[in-house]
Amino acid sequence: MLMFASSRVGSVSAGRISNWIGHRYTIVVASTIFLLGSVLMGYAHAYAVLMAGRCIAGVGVDFSLMIAPVYSPKISSPSSRGFLTSLPELCISFGILLGYISNYLFGKLSLKLGWRLMLGIATVPSLALALGVHRMPESPRWLVMQGRL
């Protein structure tokens, strides 16, 4: 129940934060929050720390789930908008598949190391997203809201 409530914090606040700092930097915030949650889960020494990491990661995931599907059609041309709108759904499914495959492989490691890698490996895509989004343009809607054309 706590994880459900904490992930809703990300959903509710993502829109306001994106209006304040822009879609690009909201994605960076989401990636950073998810990165922090992943690191906490990977290095957890107690159950409470593991659950805190899960809750923090849930906030980051919901930030991303609210902003990425809105951001991609805003920056795309009309000819590719439909493809880019459905791309996050495809990537989510592909990410789930990669998670199952990597967890299967990490499951063959020792118990002390395997579960830590299963949870900590999520730092890699969140770090790549946080760094890669800096090369992407800001949303035209946000730029107009800021008085910048």
Side-chain angles (χ1 to χ4, degrees), residues 26-145:
T26 304
I27 293 173
V28 171
V29 168
S31 297
T32 305
I33 293 170
F34 189 70
L35 178 78
L36 177 65
S38 300
V39 168
L40 270 175
M41 288 187 295
Y43 286 117
H45 55 80
Y47 181 74
V49 177
L50 180 66
M51 287 297 105
R54 291 287 290 172
C55 290
I56 291 170
V59 171
V61 166
D62 271 1
F63 256 78
S64 296
L65 288 176
M66 291 300 291
I67 296 304
V70 174
Y71 173 71
S72 58
K74 286 182 180 180
I75 63 165
S76 62
S77 65
S79 63
S80 62
R81 194 165 291 146
F83 171 73
L84 289 176
T85 302
S86 61
L87 192 60
E89 298 302 321
L90 178 67
C91 290
I92 288 169
S93 299
F94 184 67
I96 291 170
L97 174 66
L98 285 179
Y100 280 125
I101 292 170
S102 67
N103 286 345
Y104 174 76
L105 296 173
F106 290 142
K108 296 181 183 293
L109 298 174
S110 69
L111 182 62
K112 188 172 184 170
L113 179 64
W115 72 268
R116 292 184 187 277
L117 287 175
M118 287 179 191
L119 298 173
I121 196 73
T123 59
V124 174
S126 61
L127 188 60
L129 180 62
L131 296 175
V133 78
H134 290 291
R135 298 187 51 109
M136 297 170 65
E138 187 52 73
S139 150
R141 178 183 175 273
W142 184 79
L143 291 172
V144 169
M145 285 173 51

